[in-house]
Amino acid sequence: AGNLTLPTVADVEAYVSSASKVDAAFDFFVINIDAGTDDVTVAIGTGWTLVGAGQVDNGTSGHFRARKTGDGTWTCYRIS
């Protein structure tokens, strides 16, 4: 159980060279293999907005898309 916190927008833009343009995006998955009762929550860092639920229940997975929405701002969408 716990949080998986996204890095700050400044860190993403510093380490991902293709993240400089508005509408740049990438997908990621969180797979919670816990067979018990522990949930995982995707938390956001500075400069982020989260759309949808960040919680990934035990034994399930979550599909997320991170998209640059402006200068110094990104949105993380829960897709499934």
Side-chain angles (χ1 to χ4, degrees):
N3 291 338
L4 299 173
T5 303
L6 297 175
T8 66
V9 164
D11 286 344
V12 171
E13 292 180 351
Y15 295 115
V16 180
S17 61
S18 61
S20 62
K21 297 181 181 179
V22 172
D23 289 328
F26 60 89
D27 287 11
F28 65 95
F29 297 84
V30 175
I31 302 168
N32 185 348
I33 61 172
D34 187 290
T37 60
D38 293 330
D39 299 330
V40 174
T41 301
V42 173
I44 55 174
T46 302
W48 287 92
T49 300
L50 178 63
V51 176
Q55 181 173 308
V56 180
D57 296 335
N58 63 302
T60 67
S61 62
H63 180 187
F64 296 86
R65 177 165 295 141
R67 184 176 71 91
K68 182 177 175 125
T69 53
D71 290 333
T73 60
W74 284 68
T75 298
C76 180
Y77 303 93
R78 173 75 182 258
I79 296 175
S80 65

